Amino acid sequence: MFAGLPLTFITPWILAALALLPVIWWLLRLTPPRPREIRFPPTRLLLGIDQHEQTPQRSPWWLTLLRLMLAALLIIALAGPIWRSPEPVQTQDGVLWVLIDNGWTSAKAWDAQTGAAEQILTSAEQEGRPLLFAATAEGPGQAFAPEAATAALEKLRALQPRPYPPQRAELSIGLRKAAQSNPPGAIIWLSDGVRSSGAFVRDLAAIAGDAPITVFTGLDTPMGLKDLRNDAEALSLTVVRHPDQKLGTANIRALDLKGLVLGEVPASFTAGATETEARFELPTELRNDIARVEISGEAAAGAVQLVDDSWRRRTVGLISGQSGDLDQPLLSPVYYLERALLPFSDIRRPRVSDIAEAVPSLIDQGISVLVLADVGRLPDTTTEMLRDWIRNGGTLVRFAGPKTAGGSDDLIPVRLRAGDRSLGGSLSWKQPQHLADFPEGSPFAGLKTPEEVTVTRQVLAEPTSDLPDRTWAMLEDGTPLVTASQVGAGTLVLFHVTADSSWSNLPLSGVFLNMLRRVLSVSNVVAASESPEDGSSTTSVLPPLRLLDGFGRFGSPPVEVTPVSAIAFQQAAASRRTPPGLYGTEDGFRALNLMEKEDELAPLDLSLLGGNASETPYPATDPLDLRSAFFTLAFLLMIADAIAVFLLAGGLGRVGLRGHGSSAAVAVMIGAALLLGPALGPADAQSASSDLDALESTLDTRLAYVLTGNPEIDDASAAGLSGLSQFLSERTALEPGSPNGLNIDSDELAFYSLLYWPIDPAADKPDDRTIARIDTFMRNGGTILFDTRDHISASASGFSSTPATLKLREILEDLDVPPLEPVPPDHVLTKAFYLLDTFPGRYATSPLWVESLEEITARGDRPVRAGDGVSPILITGNDFAAAWAITNTGEFMYPTVPNNPVQRDYAFRSGVNIVMYSLTGNYKADQVHIPALLERLGQ
């Protein structure tokens, strides 16, 4: 710090030059200014000889002071002043170790964390010090070896928060080996402030030895969501916060698959509490549409809970074949089933007892699962209706009983023997059987089988070759307890015991509830056991579909993430190998969430690091480099000095007579403009000189858009064309410069081949002079892409009468617009770079209108119908700029409608085709002339 202020210098020894200021003052006082020159014509010799001023012997005091200030500013600027520089970290000689946490808990304050890391690495680079850089969420595959600070800075800039907690313990072995060959001189740990296992802290203390350890703490930890529950009244979950979190409230949102908000509830923490509950008390139908629950403002993977079909409440129909249900309702199978299914499903019971009428009425109510308790043979018409319902995705669950043992229909997964089997009776040699462990291919895999559950009666299945594959649960003697098979998109499930306690005490146990929950969870989703047409079972594999990144955004799966078996997925936890997200296919997927029920955000415990450790907070503000400011002030004083010398040498009255002096003044002003230009912001530099824009536009190919005066529309256009320019640089040989916003009334249009014009209904109509400029631009080969951004629906009669369309018609009524038509299938635009049959933007329903082409008879040797030239006008309503718009961090600014990644990719491809079409014209059509040209050239 400098004189009690938060001011430091990179090279403070240069400040010693300030001691030379008295010498400079002495030299400046003795240096007279340039003598004043006076024209001496003979005719004025006698008139003005007694009136001229004398030249002073020394420089004026104010000019000397100005030059002293200029010298002082240059010396201070060269010393490298830094405002609020970070406190120096205690280090020793040797390799500097820098460890950084990059789990999901770092996402909210990632900029602050990487900013502190960049300061440390930059300081090491200036000192020329080697360092070892490692990130705790990147796993043990990192190179634990010293490297230059520049290489570490490149790694830091490419680093991103991971969608799982930092796996610090995985680094212990690699760090120990690195310490043997390169012991640390100091260790700096940029932590996220959240506790993991204590093993890493102990290992780090042992590895450091006598080296000092500095731990950065105090990041703003994001809140998390866990323990999602969908009960009869509401969808509820638990909101978790760090003990150091100061915010006492959170806003929880529920969204559907399209990103539309279905509900929003507040969650408040009591004083000192780290957990609270949020509840969405919505109708079941609306809750079943929820696909994502998130905390508003918390851009972190842990602040998101994904919802798949397994979490949605099923509508279950119950039908019992026993007549005593009304006489003794508490002993009926339906009572047991209702008590078991009610916590996670909605129950529907028929109003009539006739099964032929009850089944259709339940199906009409939209049930997902139908449970039949000891219903023997079904009517033929009911059987056919149920078979069609199952093929379309329904799940039929049947429980055995006396009626089932006496014979059944063909809606059962296996063939049954006549009669039932009694265990443990006076006439039976067999004792009651316990449950065996559930097979690995069963949806019940992973459930614990309680020892107290026994079965005294059951219906037996005929032994067949496919019986083991269709068995989901069995007894200790190997006989099936639950069997199932696939019928089309649905499932047939049979419990070989009753739903009440007459044949077994299974309905009285907790495992019965979990088994029913698993049965409902595999209905209408990717099943854990999928059977082909022949009935054999195969193990299902869930490929990664859409995964979350550390900020809680959906993205494409990384190549290192492999498919997960459906059985292993039930026990999977979010990690580097299985990041949170959606696994499966678009037709059916399962959600893997980050936080589990027992997870918490506990503070980091540093007591095991020992006495060599110190804790320091992250910098509250970034350091400010003042060198550019001091150099700018020095240059301004230099200009003032030049102006003073110019005035002392004769003033403005002699500009026309003193060509040499005026050239020097002009040179000073030009130098000031060139040096001050980079110091100004991009927008200021752009508006300062249209000539500079013209020069840049001639040197680089640039996309351009029309400034509407509406900040929201103009920002979207700028971001959209920036995103399209980046996409062009990555996918094509074209590397366009930064896009330029044009004032359609005054800026030159001739430098651009394509002009994007978003229509603002509130904008004024261009005047006649501007219309003439636009018409000239289009006649001279330019193309204007008009975008009404209003989701236009194509119709035979043209455009719909929206405000934006009416404004477009008002603009075009004075222009020489050719006849238009939607892009035909054989137009050059469909194959200018990508092969396309549609041109979507943020919306996908509006056609792209181009100049109508004369009908030409199709010929086999001509691949396209278009003639030479480019359409001067393109019109769409799909809001291209919003689909292309990206932020500085690479995020998309606006969702597509519908929110589909494929639509956004095709929007970028449409933009590439439009740019290539405007730049190259109809070159695809000219390819048909290649044989004739080669023949003419003699090749």
Side-chain angles (χ1 to χ4, degrees), residues 686-711:
Q686 182 177 358
S687 61
S689 175
S690 59
D691 293 338
L692 182 60
D693 289 340
L695 179 62
E696 293 177 354
S697 299
T698 55
L699 295 178
D700 293 323
T701 300
R702 303 171 69 185
L703 305 180
Y705 61 95
V706 174
L707 294 172
T708 63
N710 187 323

Side-chain angles (χ1 to χ4, degrees), residues 624-899:
L624 180 62
D625 192 343
L626 299 178
R627 284 179 292 184
S628 60
F630 277 92
F631 276 120
T632 301
L633 291 176
F635 188 77
L636 292 176
L637 292 183
M638 188 182 301
I639 295 174
D641 181 84
I643 294 174
V645 173
F646 174 72
L647 294 175
L648 291 176
L652 296 175
R654 304 177 59 85
V655 172
L657 302 176
R658 299 187 47 81
H660 181 73
S662 62
S663 299
V666 171
V668 170
M669 299 304 293
I670 292 176
L674 293 177
L675 289 178
L676 288 177
L680 298 174
D684 296 333
Q686 182 177 358
S687 61
S689 175
S690 59
D691 293 338
L692 182 60
D693 289 340
L695 179 62
E696 293 177 354
S697 299
T698 55
L699 295 178
D700 293 323
T701 300
R702 303 171 69 185
L703 305 180
Y705 61 95
V706 174
L707 294 172
T708 63
N710 187 323
E712 181 179 357
I713 299 177
D714 294 342
D715 292 345
S717 300
L721 294 188
S722 296
L724 181 58
S725 300
Q726 180 178 339
F727 190 88
L728 286 165
S729 301
E730 295 173 352
R731 302 297 178 89
T732 70
L734 176 64
E735 296 182 1
S738 59
N740 193 16
L742 299 180
N743 186 338
I744 196 65
D745 298 329
S746 57
D747 289 341
E748 180 58 54
L749 308 179
F751 302 112
Y752 311 96
S753 63
L754 178 65
L755 190 60
Y756 178 76
W757 191 333
I759 300 301
D760 182 10
D764 296 331
K765 178 184 176 182
D767 55 21
D768 295 338
R769 175 177 170 274
T770 303
I771 292 294
R773 297 178 75 249
I774 298 170
D775 193 49
T776 302
F777 171 75
M778 297 170 61
R779 269 201 316 270
N780 292 338
T783 299
I784 299 181
L785 173 57
F786 291 96
D787 196 338
T788 56
R789 308 176 297 105
D790 57 355
H791 207 177
I792 294 178
S793 300
S795 63
S797 60
F799 303 110
S800 59
S801 297
T802 63
T805 305
L806 296 177
K807 176 59 66 175
L808 176 61
R809 290 176 178 174
E810 184 180 0
I811 295 174
L812 298 182
E813 63 183 1
D814 295 331
L815 288 175
D816 188 11
V817 179
L820 302 178
E821 67 175 350
V823 176
D826 56 350
H827 197 276
V828 180
L829 265 173
T830 63
K831 58 194 74 179
F833 192 87
Y834 291 102
L835 297 178
L836 300 175
D837 56 3
T838 183
F839 297 87
R842 187 183 183 192
Y843 312 115
T845 58
S846 172
L848 180 62
W849 295 79
V850 296
E851 180 182 3
S852 178
L853 302 175
E854 183 181 357
E855 293 293 333
I856 301 176
T857 304
R859 290 164 38 188
D861 59 346
R862 189 170 182 82
V864 293
R865 189 182 65 178
D868 295 334
V870 178
S871 174
I873 182 173
L874 304 174
I875 300 177
T876 185
N878 283 335
D879 199 359
F880 278 137
W884 302 331
I886 58 175
T887 63
N888 295 332
T889 59
E891 301 176 8
F892 294 114
M893 294 178 62
Y894 304 96
T896 60
V897 179
N899 194 355

